[in-house]
Amino acid sequence: NANILTMRCVPCEGDGDEACANCGKLGSDAVKLKNCTACRLVKYCGVDCQRAHRKQHKKACKQRAAELKDEQLYSQGHERPEGDFCPICTLPIQLPMGDHSGFNICCMQRICDGCHVAAQKKGIVDCVFCRTPFVKNDADALVMTRARVAKKDPTAINDLAEKYFYGELGLQQNTRKAIKLWTEAAELGSIVALCHLGTVYYGGDTVQEDKAKGVEFLKRAAMQGDVLSRRKLGAIEACNGSALHAVRHFLISAKMGDKDSLDLIRKVFMAGGATKAQYAEALKGY
């Protein structure tokens, strides 16, 4: 019994002679061991043993779980999402996208400036993607947007949320309504909505501040390829004094074509928080 109580958390690999971390019972056809779902360092023969071993395992479990989350955060989201590509030429739109493309509310598509110019040269005056005539006033634009929202288009819901947040298209500014819409859009798959939610909750200027909640939204967006969210995570880490983590974020977003991230790495490098090799890697990747 004394030996059992002093057992340490040791990683279990493979399907060989594995043992329950609490009672030492070996895994077999009759005894099915299950990993600790949080850290996957140890295995247990049942819930009772897992609960009994919790106090001993808690510290190592939390540490490894945090490491796994970091591995996931930095290994995912290195490619820009589908919404960053022009649907006409299928090329990634240069960042910042707002300076190099136009957003058409008729089809909720972002078209690069090159394709807009090419369409104009061909005499196409309507939407180059869906051929719908462009709206001429805010009232018609709002009607068109609401029609897409009614069809549960996450891009349209995000767009309407932005209009409520900034008080555009004749709408009265309504932060609560915007957050509700962003939450719905995020649930339906909008990465941009996740970034918006992360920004407002972390900043706390228009809603009750919740930095932890804001960071979680930004992480979800960054792991799906959102460049702005990735850069914001890097900025947060830099403000918290963690140059190491900041540079890891900035490297990812710089390699995805974000000039602001490249400039931030340069500043960190000049301050001694990044190596020459890291700055060179960022330059080459950008």
Side-chain angles (χ1 to χ4, degrees):
N1 290 336
N3 290 333
I4 292 173
L5 292 175
T6 57
M7 287 183 69
R8 295 181 298 170
C9 301
V10 180
C12 294
E13 298 180 357
D15 297 319
D17 295 331
E18 300 172 349
C20 173
N22 183 61
C23 69
K25 187 180 296 182
L26 294 176
S28 65
D29 291 339
V31 180
K32 299 296 183 182
L33 301 178
K34 292 185 178 180
N35 281 308
C36 171
T37 55
C39 68
R40 307 190 71 80
L41 279 175
V42 295
K43 296 191 175 187
Y44 298 102
C45 61
V47 176
D48 291 339
C49 273
Q50 185 173 10
R51 289 173 179 168
H53 193 244
R54 178 60 181 164
K55 188 174 181 179
Q56 292 174 256
H57 177 56
K58 186 176 181 180
K59 184 177 180 180
C61 182
K62 289 182 69 175
Q63 180 180 343
R64 181 54 183 159
E67 291 172 355
L68 288 173
K69 285 185 178 180
D70 270 358
E71 288 175 11
Q72 186 180 38
L73 175 61
Y74 294 114
S75 65
Q76 296 182 11
H78 290 221
E79 300 291 335
R80 292 174 64 183
E82 183 180 349
D84 284 12
F85 290 74
C86 174
I88 304 298
C89 65
T90 69
L91 295 173
I93 300 171
Q94 184 178 343
L95 299 171
M97 292 197 296
D99 294 345
H100 303 281
S101 63
F103 185 71
N104 297 349
I105 60 172
C106 47
C107 51
M108 294 295 160
Q109 296 290 335
R110 183 170 291 280
I111 312 298
C112 73
D113 288 345
C115 287
H116 273 300
V117 172
Q120 290 172 359
K121 287 182 176 180
K122 292 180 179 179
I124 301 174
V125 296
D126 299 329
C127 173
V128 65
F129 185 78
C130 68
R131 298 299 194 269
T132 300
F134 289 119
V135 294
K136 298 180 180 180
N137 55 66
D138 288 350
D140 289 343
L142 186 58
V143 169
M144 191 172 284
T145 300
R146 289 191 185 280
R148 299 287 299 186
V149 169
K151 296 178 180 179
K152 297 298 181 181
D153 182 335
T155 305
I157 297 171
N158 172 74
D159 186 62
L160 183 59
E162 291 177 357
K163 299 301 183 287
Y164 271 111
F165 188 79
Y166 295 109
E168 297 174 349
L169 295 185
L171 294 171
Q172 185 176 355
Q173 191 173 15
N174 189 331
T175 302
R176 181 176 295 181
K177 179 70 172 178
I179 290 175
K180 182 179 179 181
L181 287 167
W182 273 328
T183 302
E184 181 182 359
E187 291 173 350
L188 291 171
S190 172
I191 302 172
V192 179
L194 286 172
C195 182
H196 280 308
L197 289 170
T199 302
V200 295
Y201 277 113
Y202 189 87
D205 295 330
T206 53
V207 295
Q208 185 175 352
E209 183 182 287
D210 190 335
K211 291 189 180 299
K213 188 174 185 178
V215 168
E216 284 304 311
F217 278 124
L218 291 174
K219 285 181 177 179
R220 287 172 57 189
M223 288 190 291
Q224 295 180 68
D226 187 68
V227 176
L228 180 56
S229 294
R230 181 67 71 176
R231 191 206 317 147
K232 287 186 175 185
L233 287 172
I236 290 170
E237 292 289 1
C239 290
N240 291 338
S242 180
L244 176 65
H245 289 88
V247 170
R248 291 185 71 181
H249 284 300
F250 293 149
L251 270 172
I252 294 171
S253 45
K255 290 178 180 179
M256 295 167 76
D258 185 45
K259 180 65 164 54
D260 289 338
S261 295
L262 180 64
D263 292 340
L264 286 167
I265 289 184
R266 180 180 58 81
K267 290 180 180 179
V268 177
F269 167 64
M270 295 296 289
T275 65
K276 185 177 181 180
Q278 287 175 321
Y279 184 40
E281 182 184 350
L283 280 169
K284 184 178 180 180
Y286 174 77

